Amino acid sequence: MVLTKYIKPFVSSFGKEKWKSRNIQTRKKAVQELPVSDQQIIADIALNDSDESIKIIAINKSSDLDLLQTIIMKGTSSSVKKAAEIRFYQLLSGIKHPIPDYKDREKIIHGSRNPALLEFIAENAAEPEFRQLAIKRINRDALLGNIALKDTHADVRLAAAQQIAKRSTLERVVKQARRKDKRVYKTVMAKLDNI
C-alpha cells in the first residue's frame, strides 16, 4: 500500500505526458493521439518541439489562427512555416475543422494584404459570402474569370464577373457564359461594350 502511494503518481504522469518523451516515435504517436480539444498542449508542441515532423503534426491539429500566424512569420524551418500557412488557409476558408468563428475569419480577411491568401479564399471558402468577401479584394483577372464561370453559387459568379477588368478575360467569359449564366453574360458583355 505504501509502495502504491509512491509509484502510482509516477506511472500516471508518465503515461499522460508521452508527448514529452525523449523518443521521437513515442512523441510522434502521442501527438497524433492528442484530442483536438487540447489546444494549449498542441500550441506548446507546435512552437517548442525539437523535431520538425512532430511540429507539423501539431500544426495540423491546431485551430489557433494567432498561433499559426506567429509560426508563419517567425518559424525557423521552411517546411514548418509552409505547414502552418496551409493550415491557416484551410481554417480561414472553413474547409478544415474545427472552423474558427466567422467574425474572426472575416476580420483577418478585411485586414489581409496577402494576395495568395485572398485568392485561396476566393476559390475555396466553404461559405459563398466568404468567397465574395475575398473576390472584392483580388484583381487577378484569369482567376476571376475562372470563378465567374465555375463557382457553384450564382452570386459568387456574378461578383467575380463584376471584378474583371482585362478585355481578354472578359471575351473568354462572354464566350463560355453565353448559354450557362445569363447574369454573368450580361454583366461581362456590358463591360466589354464600355471598353
Side-chain angles (χ1 to χ4, degrees):
M1 183 163 177
V2 173
L3 190 59
T4 308
K5 180 181 171 183
Y6 294 107
I7 293 176
K8 190 173 183 180
F10 174 74
V11 172
S12 64
S13 69
F14 179 75
K16 288 182 182 175
E17 297 185 348
K18 288 183 180 177
W19 63 88
K20 291 183 178 180
S21 171
R22 290 184 181 176
N23 182 304
I24 290 176
Q25 295 307 317
T26 303
R27 275 199 332 266
K28 192 177 282 190
K29 187 173 186 225
V31 173
Q32 288 169 338
E33 293 172 355
L34 272 174
V36 177
S37 59
D38 286 342
Q39 286 296 305
Q40 189 61 43
I41 295 169
I42 289 169
D44 184 47
I45 294 166
L47 288 170
N48 301 316
D49 199 278
S50 60
D51 186 82
E52 283 184 17
S53 64
I54 294 173
K55 281 184 176 185
I56 291 170
I57 293 168
I59 285 167
N60 288 327
K61 288 184 158 228
S62 178
S63 62
D64 184 341
L65 297 173
D66 292 333
L67 168 73
L68 295 170
Q69 283 183 309
T70 300
I71 294 170
I72 292 166
M73 291 180 185
K74 298 180 181 177
T76 55
S77 158
S78 62
S79 60
V80 170
K81 283 182 176 184
K82 187 65 179 171
E85 183 179 66
I86 290 168
R87 180 69 176 171
F88 183 70
Y89 283 24
Q90 292 171 337
L91 288 173
L92 265 183
S93 63
I95 58 176
K96 288 287 182 176
H97 291 277
I99 299 171
D101 183 58
Y102 186 90
K103 293 280 185 198
D104 294 339
R105 294 184 298 136
E106 184 179 36
K107 186 178 175 183
I108 290 171
I109 290 303
H110 281 300
S112 178
R113 293 182 183 157
N114 180 348
L117 171 63
L118 295 170
E119 289 174 5
F120 184 88
I121 299 295
E123 280 186 294
N124 300 294
E127 304 98 332
E129 304 83 27
F130 212 60
R131 293 196 302 274
Q132 283 180 277
L133 273 178
I135 285 169
K136 291 175 184 173
R137 306 270 326 276
I138 62 175
N139 57 14
R140 188 160 62 95
D141 278 30
L143 174 63
L144 291 166
N146 291 342
I147 294 170
L149 292 168
K150 297 177 183 175
D151 197 273
T152 58
H153 197 273
D155 291 338
V156 175
R157 290 192 304 270
L158 183 61
Q162 291 168 340
Q163 289 289 108
I164 299 171
K166 283 187 181 176
R167 182 182 190 92
S168 59
T169 305
L170 290 167
E171 289 171 348
R172 174 173 65 96
V173 173
V174 161
K175 286 178 189 175
Q176 294 180 26
R178 178 174 280 144
R179 293 188 178 130
K180 292 180 182 177
D181 190 328
K182 288 181 181 177
R183 290 190 330 163
V184 167
Y185 176 78
K186 287 178 182 177
T187 300
V188 174
M189 198 63 192
K191 290 186 98 169
L192 269 175
D193 289 343
N194 287 338
I195 293 174

